[in-house]
Amino acid sequence: MDLHLTEEDRTFGLELRRWLDDNVRPDWRSAAKTHADYVDVQRDWEHRLAAAGFTGIWWPREFGGMGAGPTQKAIFAELTARSGAPEGLGRTGRRLLGPGVMKYGTHEQQAEILPAILTARTFWCQDYSEPEAGSDLAGVRTTAVLDGDDYVVNGSKTWTSNAQFADRCFLLVRTGPDKHAGLSVLLVDLSLPGIEIRPIEQITGDRGFCEVFYSDVRVPRASLLGAEGQGWEIAKYILRYERGAVHVFDTLVRIDRHLAATIRTAGDDPAAAARIGRSGAQVAASRLMAYRVLTEQIKGGEPTDAGSMAKLYWSSSWLGLAETATAIAGEGSFAPETDDERAVLRGFFECRPGTIASGSSEIQRGIVAKRLLRLPSRT
Ligand SMILES: Cc1cc2nc3c(=O)[nH]c(=O)nc-3n(C[C@H](O)[C@H](O)[C@H](O)COP(=O)(O)OP(=O)(O)OC[C@H]3O[C@@H](n4cnc5c(N)ncnc54)[C@H](O)[C@@H]3O)c2cc1C
C-alpha cells in the first residue's frame, strides 16, 4: 500500500479545492427554506459539476469521462464532502448506473443514457429493495411479463433513495421463476403511467427515500439492461461499485466531524478520553482499510468484494463512536444545547444507515466469510 500522492494527484487536489471554494455555498442548507429551494440547490450543484466536467470524474474517457484513477476519485469524494457540497441527486447515475451501462448496455443505451448523466439532464435512482426482499435481494417479487414489445411491471419497491427527485430508475424485476436466473434489470422512465412514488418521512424529519408502486406499467422491451435473466449478475456488479472504496472517503469525513464534536463535548475527563481514544483508533483503522481496498482497486481496475470488508469496519466503528459519545454525554445527549452537542446527536442518527444501506452488516460478514476468506458454506 503506497500512501503517497503523485505530483499530478496533488495538482488535481489543489485545483479542485479552489473550484470548490468558488462554487460551494457553505450556508446552502440553512438558506434552503423550503423543500423546493432544497431541490433547486441540488440541481444547481449538479449543473455546476457538469459545466466543470466533474460529473465525469468517475468515468473513463471513452465514455466522455475524465479518465481519473481511483486516487483522484477518492480525493474528489473527500474534498467535496469536506466542502459541504450538496452531493446527492446525481450520485446514483454517476457512481452506480453509469458503470453498469458501460459494461452491460447496448450501444444505443450507452449513447442515450451516459451523456444525459454527464450533463445532469437525467437523475437516476436504484429500485432494488422490496418490503420482503432487502437482505434476501434475490427474493424480489415485482414481476415483468413480456407482452408484445413491452414488459408489463407489477409490484412495489421501498427505501428507494431520492426517487421523488429522479427521472428514471434501474429496476430489479422477476422475469422468471428461478430465484437468481429469473431476475432482470429494466431502465424505467418514472413518468410512465401506473407508477406512484410516496416519500417516507424519517425520524430526523428528512424524506431521503420512498416507496415506489408499479401497477400494469408498460416498459418498452428495449429498456432491458443486459440479457433477460442477467439481473442478479448486474445487480451485484453495481452493488460492488456502491460498496467500493472510493465512496468511503466522503463518509469518513462525516465520521471525522462526529469524532471532533465528541472530543470537544467530553471536556477533561480521563475515562472519557480513553474511550474516545479507542473509538478514534478504530476510525483511523477504517481509513487505512479504505486505503488498502483502494490500492487493490488501483491494481485491478474495478471494485472488488473487499469493499464489503471496509464497509463493515467503518460502519461498526462509527456505531461504536456514537455509543461512546452518547454514553459520555449521558441524559443530555438527546437535549442538545450547543452546536457540538447537536453534531453529536446528528452523528448518532447518521451512523445507523451505514450498517444497513447497500447490504446490512450481517450480509457484509457473509460476503467476507464466503468470497474473501473462502470459508465453507452451506449455500
Ligand atoms: C440510507 C439507506 C438508503 C437506501 N437506499 C436504497 C436505494 O436507493 N435503493 C434500494 O433498493 N434500497 C435502498 N435501501 C435499502 C437497503 O438496501 C435495505 O434496507 C437493506 O438491504 C436491508 O434490507 P431490509 O431493510 O429489508 O432488512 P431485512 O433484510 O429485513 O433485515 C433485517 C435484519 O435481519 C438481518 N438479516 C437478514 N437476513 C439475514 C441473514 N441471512 N443472516 C443474518 N442476518 C440477516 C439483517 O442484517 C437486518 O439486521 C436503503 C437503505 C438505507 C438504510
Side-chain angles (χ1 to χ4, degrees), residues 262 265-267 269 271-273 275-276 321-331 333:
T262 305
T265 51
D269 176 6
R275 293 190 67 172
I276 295 173
L321 167 65
E323 278 160 13
T324 300
T326 42
I328 290 169
E331 287 175 5
S333 305

Side-chain angles (χ1 to χ4, degrees), residues 125-131 133-136 158-161 209 242 353-354 356-363:
C125 61
Q126 177 192 43
D127 232 359
Y128 285 2
S129 304
E130 295 183 4
S135 299
D136 183 19
T158 191
W159 311 126
T160 312
S161 298
F209 28 48
E242 194 172 356
I356 305 169
S358 72
S360 70
S361 295
E362 286 75 14
I363 296 308

